[in-house]
Amino acid sequence: MTVNSSNRQSPWQLYYGPNMGYIQEQYELYTKDPAAVDASYQEMFKQWGPPPADEGVQVSAAGTVPATAASAVPDPAYIKKLVDAGKLVVNIRTYGHLAANIYPLGNDTATDTRLLEPETYNLTREDLMAFPATLIWEDAPESVKNGWDAIQELKRVYTQSFAFEFGHVHAEDERTWLNRQAESGMAGKPLTTKERIDLLKRLFEVENFETFLHRTFVGQKRFSVEGNDVLIPMLDEIVREVAHDGAKNILMGMAHRGRLNVLAHVLGKPYSKIFSEFLHAPHKEPSEGSAGINFGWMGDVKYHLGAHRSIKAGETIETRITLANNPSHLEYVNPVVQGFTRAAQDDRTKAGYPEADFGAAACVVMHGDAAFAGEGIVAESLNFKKLIGYENGGTLHIIVNNRIGFTTESSDSRSTYYASDLAKGFNIPIVHVNADDPEACLAVIRMACEYRQKFKKDFLIDLVGYRRHGHNENDDPDVTQPLLYRKLRNHPTVSNLYAESLKTRGFIDADSVERLKAEVVSVLQASLDEAKKAGEAAAGTKPAPANTPETTVRRRSATTTTSVPLPNLKAINDAMLKWPASFNIYSKLERILKRRATMLDEGGKVDWGHAEALAFATILADGKPIRLSGQDSERGTFAHRNIVMHDTQTGESYCSLHTIPQARATFAVYNSPLSEESVLGFEYGYNVYSPETLTIWEAQFGDFANAAQVVFDQFISSGRDKWSEYSSLVMLLPHGYEGQGPEHSSARLERFLQMSANDNWTVANLSSAAQYFHLLRRQAALSDTVDAKPLIMMSPKSLLRNPRVASDPSQFSEGSFQLVLEQPGLGTKPEAVERLIFCSGKVAIDLDTAIETIQDDLSWVHIARIEQLYPFPKVEVERIISRFPNLKEIVWVQEEPQNMGAWNYMQPRLNARAPKGVSVRYNGRPKRSSPATGFSEVHQAEHQRLVAGAFDRGTLVSPDKSMEPQRVR
């Protein structure tokens, strides 16, 4: 064998000392049996001949030279080329996506791909061929022999119909796995012939469903999936993969585009049922859409509705698929469906924290490209990825990318290069894939599912397609994108592209393709005929009865017993106040807990924080799990809770509610991220999916709930009317005027009262610890029943430690929740009462405090605290008013400005119940644009004025005009 004497550099320059000895041993084995050495060495020996036998001789481009101290060092020029080749490999992996074929209609944005070219590094083909492929690509397949072949193969891998972005993934083991999957695994699982034909049929079903609707129901909106048709088979593949991995539940969330197709093909909603909604069939179940108003439900439009489906894969695997209902507010379903998923994973049957089985359920969220970059809720929801109270073992994200937001180009909707770039900040692997290459799309799904199964983390797929119509099917897209839609009119659909590909590769013939199309169309036509017949039959039926779900399904529950026998309370209290002997408790906290030991004794008083703890413990004893989350909820924003203690020496935590012997269910408390809308959405989803759980969200200050207004408006307040979705979620919103400024005073009570209707939730503003205890227990008892509804609680701040709020032990063991409380000591002479004050919450305690300082006779005035504002306690209010025959006026006293708080809600209700000749008026702060003053002295002056006005008998005779309701300007 002769040594290659060309001017290319010999690889033997890289080896000397022990390494050269190893090469010589390999060559000896090669001479005896070439197959005995690695293929890369076979190629080297075949090309370059034997290594130098004498360690004192080095082979270089110039031939053999005697070894010296200097010549024993490898040629620097050669080493630099090898290093540069390594840089090229890294950059192909990192930036190959810039040159990938991921745009079905081409990419109008010029990209700089010079980092992917050897010339950028002054590397020639000959340079790269001078060393084995494995020197720059450890996992190079056997067919790739040298550096040049390695570079070409890597460029092919990283620039085809899928483009990989893994360089931002910090964990080296994950990054290595991802690169290996990209470089070998993607091509290692080709579809079988049957799978290819099934995929083609599915694409025909997706496309023809849309075109059939378009042709049959002319002018009706449906927000079609056309342009990203392959989304449906991708979801099919996710279902197969995660079901095979053992998931019993698959929870999906998406916006409106493509939802009807997902409902039909992934959720299995019959075509006839969907067609009937377009035909406006009059008699349907409430969950089926807006036509359900015949039964007293408001319903929702077709493309907002969700569904459930149970499927069986083989004989042993059964999976339930849920598509969450979603209003059109784009990405707000994301945290809701993540809450669904965690609820499906948690085992809540034993004391302690729930045990999450991440394999039991999988979360799939579909995003819009403009919304993913534009909606802040996306970042908040991505942040759940590894948070202990919110993680779900990896959400599978698909950006259904049609490259247009309503009518807006990508250049107007985001500052990032890709719609998916936000996910890089959360170390989420990203694959961009061409929606016109169905096989590539399924390969990416398999990779994503394997990653989730292995690493229990999120994965994002950017499905790059287009939008065949305008924003909806009535919208003319040529107005804003004339060039794009001129190109689109000549662009074949993905089903036709794939059919041609399969025919070219010999997997199917033309006749079989036409038969598949005909079968799909015939099924659609038969379903339409069925829907029409059903509509005609329903048109002749007797109208629905007048009674509605208000009086049938949503019946008011019987009185619920919420008291707990005193011996039981004491036993629970003793258990809650124990901790391990080795636990080093903070001394200040120890003093607080020791005070709680005697609160249930005769003469004792139970404060707000301990009333809550007792409520939690007794609910757990009843077998009801509890989940509480919010910012600093373990301790409580105002340090009133301390439900989780921390060892002062080790930092280890301890929660007594996990160890009390009476607990028969889990207690989960989590300090949430600094986020309102995503956390509230998550807790709503958790509660809807796990209705037996008393789920509580606590705002740090009630004002902070402003940031979650979309979730209140579009899910919590109206979810039951729109989607028949029951929730018993509790929202604790700290509220009260204590001179802390405009942003730490008001939880915006007025907004929740404005949204109150149809018995949709409970709004409460309490004034005693016992009331809180009973209300929590009532809420837990109503959960998982048709009477379940959310609870909006104006929870206290300064009242947490106010002794006037603390309650006698007997009120816990013998009492119940009272809709209205009357002021003790007043109203004892009904015929003397001329002014009846109604109020709620903290101002009631302010009035109670003021009474002690008033020396004058107060027999002319009485006070009633409305503890539950909605539903309005009309019976109790009417009963109280009727007791006072000489009443002259009813006064509503509140701490909030006149245009805020409960006044506008209470005024018409009090007017309707005021006896003839009795006026109804307001006492409180005047109208304001800001909720409260930021100056403590101004606050005190206002506070003193409204309290004094409540007890000023002079205004009874000659009303103070400044106190009257002001004319709206």
Side-chain angles (χ1 to χ4, degrees):
M1 181 179 293
T2 59
V3 177
N4 189 320
S5 59
S6 72
N7 61 0
R8 285 179 293 160
Q9 292 179 326
S10 164
W12 309 137
Q13 296 176 88
L14 297 174
Y15 302 97
Y16 53 94
N19 291 334
M20 177 57 78
Y22 174 76
I23 291 297
Q24 290 166 344
E25 289 176 5
Q26 292 296 302
Y27 184 72
E28 289 180 13
L29 292 172
Y30 173 78
T31 57
K32 297 175 183 176
D33 178 10
V37 300
D38 186 82
S40 61
Y41 289 128
Q42 294 178 34
E43 182 65 24
M44 287 171 62
F45 296 141
K46 187 183 300 181
Q47 184 174 358
W48 296 98
D54 184 0
E55 288 190 19
V57 177
Q58 294 284 331
V59 180
S60 69
T64 59
V65 296
T68 64
S71 65
V73 179
D75 181 0
Y78 185 86
I79 293 298
K80 185 178 187 311
K81 291 185 182 298
L82 188 60
V83 170
D84 288 341
K87 290 180 182 177
L88 176 55
V89 169
V90 169
N91 285 329
I92 289 172
R93 286 172 172 156
T94 306
Y95 302 110
H97 58 87
L98 296 174
N101 178 31
I102 60 172
Y103 301 100
L105 301 178
N107 186 15
D108 298 330
T109 304
T111 55
D112 185 352
T113 59
R114 288 174 294 176
L115 287 175
L116 312 180
E117 303 304 328
E119 293 79 10
T120 302
Y121 309 88
N122 296 316
L123 292 171
T124 65
R125 177 171 181 158
E126 289 73 20
D127 292 332
L128 291 168
M129 290 183 68
F131 39 77
T134 52
L135 289 181
I136 58 172
W137 183 11
E138 291 181 0
D139 299 316
E142 290 188 8
S143 59
V144 176
K145 304 298 183 182
N146 55 55
W148 173 259
D149 292 342
I151 295 302
Q152 299 311 305
E153 176 62 15
L154 286 169
K155 285 180 66 177
R156 186 195 67 79
V157 165
Y158 283 96
T159 61
Q160 47 188 327
S161 294
F162 26 59
F164 307 99
E165 288 195 274
F166 303 145
H168 59 278
V169 177
H170 293 169
E172 185 176 355
D173 60 332
E174 294 178 36
R175 197 169 58 251
T176 299
W177 184 91
L178 289 163
N179 285 330
R180 284 177 176 166
Q181 286 289 305
E183 293 162 16
S184 61
M186 303 292 282
K189 300 174 183 176
L191 300 182
T192 65
T193 299
K194 182 182 184 304
E195 288 174 329
R196 288 184 167 103
I197 294 173
D198 288 345
L199 174 55
L200 178 62
K201 182 179 181 182
R202 183 56 114 194
L203 291 171
F204 282 147
E205 289 173 341
V206 172
E207 180 183 335
N208 281 278
F209 173 74
E210 299 287 3
T211 56
F212 190 86
L213 288 174
H214 194 69
R215 186 174 61 252
T216 307
F217 304 104
V218 178
Q220 291 208 40
K221 293 186 289 186
R222 67 183 191 279
F223 298 97
S224 83
V225 77
E226 292 165 280
N228 278 294
D229 308 49
V230 75
L231 172 67
I232 310 306
M234 291 171 75
L235 294 176
D236 290 338
E237 189 68 15
I238 287 176
V239 171
R240 282 191 289 268
E241 289 286 324
V242 299
H244 182 268
D245 290 335
K248 299 296 188 294
N249 290 276
I250 302 171
L251 298 311
M252 295 184 178
M254 67 182 301
H256 48 288
R257 186 165 306 283
R259 178 176 283 258
L260 292 179
N261 221 307
V262 172
L263 284 169
H265 296 119
V266 182
L267 276 295
K269 186 172 183 177
Y271 290 150
S272 59
K273 216 164 193 180
I274 295 174
F275 294 158
S276 73
E277 292 171 2
F278 280 92
L279 290 165
H280 302 292
H283 299 297
K284 302 198 300 292
E285 291 299 315
S287 63
E288 288 306 317
S290 54
I293 60 176
N294 292 301
F295 292 98
W297 294 76
M298 296 300 293
D300 202 352
V301 290
K302 296 175 285 294
Y303 38 81
H304 291 177
L305 298 177
H308 305 279
R309 176 193 180 196
S310 291
I311 64 165
K312 287 187 177 180
E315 297 299 319
T316 58
I317 302 172
E318 182 170 352
T319 299
R320 184 172 188 250
I321 310 170
T322 299
L323 177 65
N325 300 298
N326 184 28
S328 282
H329 210 85
L330 303 173
E331 300 286 330
Y332 276 82
V333 77
N334 300 359
V336 174
V337 77
Q338 287 176 280
F340 281 5
T341 307
R342 182 59 182 265
Q345 294 169 341
D346 278 352
D347 178 359
R348 295 172 288 274
T349 58
K350 297 179 293 185
Y353 278 102
E355 294 183 5
D357 177 3
F358 293 145
C363 183
V364 183
V365 180
M366 289 152 272
H367 310 269
D369 52 304
F372 192 85
E375 295 282 344
I377 190 72
V378 176
E380 290 190 21
S381 301
L382 292 177
N383 191 43
F384 289 148
K385 174 187 162 191
K386 294 304 292 180
L387 300 184
I388 189 170
Y390 308 88
E391 61 182 329
N392 61 42
T395 296
L396 297 173
H397 302 270
I398 302 176
I399 295 179
V400 187
N401 189 346
N402 56 41
R403 306 185 72 195
I404 297 176
F406 192 45
T407 66
T408 303
E409 303 280 3
S410 297
S411 58
D412 295 318
S413 64
R414 65 174 188 265
S415 298
T416 57
Y417 185 81
Y418 291 117
S420 57
D421 283 350
L422 174 66
K424 292 179 181 177
F426 297 92
N427 290 303
I428 298 173
I430 299 168
V431 179
H432 312 273
V433 63
N434 191 321
D436 272 358
D437 188 342
E439 292 187 18
C441 292
L442 294 198
V444 172
I445 288 292
R446 292 177 178 180
M447 180 185 195
C449 291
E450 287 184 30
Y451 175 86
R452 177 189 176 277
Q453 177 71 6
K454 184 175 180 65
F455 296 105
K456 304 295 186 289
K457 292 183 180 179
D458 292 25
F459 195 100
L460 187 145
I461 298 168
D462 180 16
L463 176 63
V464 185
Y466 54 87
R467 189 182 71 194
R468 188 159 286 278
H469 304 285
H471 176 65
N472 61 63
E473 289 67 34
N474 295 328
D475 182 45
D476 183 2
D478 288 84
V479 175
T480 49
Q481 279 85 23
L483 300 182
L484 172 64
Y485 279 88
R486 188 182 308 158
K487 184 188 297 185
L488 250 177
R489 278 188 282 274
N490 299 315
H491 186 76
T493 63
V494 64
S495 64
N496 288 323
L497 286 171
Y498 191 53
E500 289 302 315
S501 171
L502 293 186
K503 286 191 289 186
T504 300
R505 291 185 283 166
F507 291 112
I508 197 170
D509 57 42
D511 290 341
S512 298
V513 169
E514 294 306 315
R515 276 198 301 274
L516 282 178
K517 289 182 180 179
E519 288 173 11
V520 169
V521 173
S522 66
V523 171
L524 290 164
Q525 186 60 52
S527 298
L528 177 63
D529 295 341
E530 179 187 341
K532 286 180 176 179
K533 289 179 182 178
E536 292 168 0
T541 60
K542 187 177 180 180
N547 61 319
T548 72
E550 283 289 338
T551 56
T552 55
V553 177
R554 298 186 207 172
R555 63 187 181 276
R556 296 294 296 272
S557 63
T559 302
T560 302
T561 300
T562 57
S563 59
V564 178
L566 193 57
N568 294 9
L569 284 174
K570 288 186 173 182
I572 286 173
N573 195 46
D574 290 343
M576 281 200 301
L577 297 176
K578 293 178 181 177
W579 52 85
S582 60
F583 190 85
N584 300 289
I585 190 170
Y586 180 48
S587 58
K588 182 178 178 181
L589 180 57
E590 184 177 16
R591 290 194 297 272
I592 293 173
L593 295 179
K594 284 183 175 179
R595 285 200 298 270
R596 290 183 174 182
T598 60
M599 285 183 177
L600 290 172
D601 294 343
E602 186 174 352
K605 291 281 189 177
V606 179
D607 63 19
W608 189 279
H610 198 42
E612 179 187 72
L614 288 170
F616 288 164
T618 55
I619 291 168
L620 295 175
D622 291 338
K624 285 274 185 180
I626 299 173
R627 177 184 166 95
L628 165 65
S629 83
Q631 294 151 17
D632 306 298
S633 283
E634 289 184 357
R635 189 198 75 166
T637 297
F638 311 103
H640 73 286
R641 182 173 292 125
N642 293 300
I643 210 76
V644 176
M645 301 184 292
H646 298 272
D647 191 298
T648 58
Q649 302 300 315
T650 67
E652 293 182 1
S653 60
Y654 174 76
C655 177
S656 63
L657 289 179
H658 292 162
T659 60
I660 59 173
Q662 294 87 350
R664 297 193 294 115
T666 57
F667 176 75
V669 54
Y670 301 109
N671 289 334
S672 75
L674 192 63
S675 165
E676 287 78 35
E677 60 187 356
S678 63
V679 176
L680 181 57
F682 186 100
E683 302 305 340
Y684 173 79
Y686 194 103
N687 180 238
V688 167
Y689 205 86
S690 170
E692 79 283 1
T693 303
L694 179 64
T695 308
I696 304 170
W697 175 69
E698 181 178 49
Q700 192 170 64
F701 281 88
D703 316 71
F704 293 7
N706 289 342
Q709 201 62 42
V710 170
V711 182
F712 285 113
D713 291 352
Q714 300 196 1
F715 289 91
I716 299 171
S717 69
S718 55
R720 186 170 65 176
D721 268 351
K722 291 193 293 189
W723 311 312
S724 188
E725 200 163 76
Y726 285 82
S727 167
S728 58
L729 180 65
V730 178
M731 287 139 285
L732 303 179
L733 311 179
H735 176 87
Y737 280 59
E738 286 113 353
Q740 295 186 30
E743 267 49 87
H744 287 161
S745 295
S746 176
R748 295 293 192 174
L749 171 62
E750 63 277 1
R751 295 181 182 171
F752 300 104
L753 292 174
Q754 184 183 40
M755 290 187 286
S756 297
N758 303 117
D759 204 21
N760 62 330
W761 55 23
T762 300
V763 181
N765 193 14
L766 310 183
S767 61
S768 89
Q771 284 281 84
Y772 183 41
F773 172 87
H774 290 296
L775 186 55
L776 283 177
R777 286 185 49 77
R778 186 184 79 170
Q779 189 72 2
L782 294 178
S783 64
D784 204 15
T785 73
V786 294
D787 296 298
K789 55 187 176 181
L791 169 61
I792 305 292
M793 259 282 298
M794 300 291 108
S795 64
K797 297 180 294 179
S798 65
L799 297 190
L800 292 170
R801 295 175 178 82
N802 191 314
R804 296 179 184 274
V805 174
S807 302
D808 293 332
S810 61
Q811 292 179 288
F812 297 85
S813 61
E814 300 169 12
S816 62
F817 180 70
Q818 303 298 306
L819 303 179
V820 181
L821 292 176
E822 297 187 56
Q823 179 68 35
L826 294 184
T828 56
K829 299 177 181 179
E831 61 283 349
V833 173
E834 298 176 299
R835 173 180 292 169
L836 175 58
I837 293 175
F838 284 105
C839 57
S840 186
K842 176 181 176 294
V843 75
I845 304 303
D846 295 335
L847 297 177
D848 182 50
T849 304
I851 288 173
E852 288 188 357
T853 66
I854 298 174
Q855 302 298 320
D856 299 334
D857 176 29
L858 290 178
S859 62
W860 63 278
V861 66
H862 186 50
I863 300 173
R865 308 172 184 178
I866 297 185
E867 301 281 288
Q868 177 181 290
L869 292 158
Y870 184 83
F872 180 71
K874 59 182 181 180
V875 173
E876 289 76 9
V877 169
E878 289 169 357
R879 177 181 54 78
I880 292 172
I881 292 174
S882 67
R883 289 210 334 260
F884 307 112
N886 298 317
L887 202 60
K888 292 183 178 179
E889 65 178 13
I890 296 172
V891 178
W892 176 257
V893 177
Q894 69 177 37
E895 53 189 334
E896 305 89 352
Q898 185 178 354
N899 56 319
M900 302 176 196
W903 166 242
N904 290 326
Y905 167 82
M906 295 299 301
Q907 184 184 23
R909 288 164 175 80
L910 295 177
N911 272 328
R913 289 160 181 85
K916 186 176 181 179
V918 175
S919 64
V920 175
R921 65 185 186 87
Y922 164 83
N923 175 39
R925 290 175 169 85
K927 295 176 182 178
R928 296 268 171 77
S929 60
S930 177
T933 178
F935 302 101
S936 60
E937 62 275 14
V938 175
H939 165 78
Q940 290 299 329
E942 291 177 340
H943 176 73
Q944 290 169 9
R945 178 177 176 274
L946 74 87
V947 170
F951 298 107
D952 184 355
R953 195 170 188 178
T955 61
L956 183 67
V957 178
S958 177
D960 182 348
K961 299 301 182 183
S962 68
M963 307 280 284
E964 292 290 343
Q966 299 174 14
R967 181 177 300 170
V968 177
R969 297 176 181 176

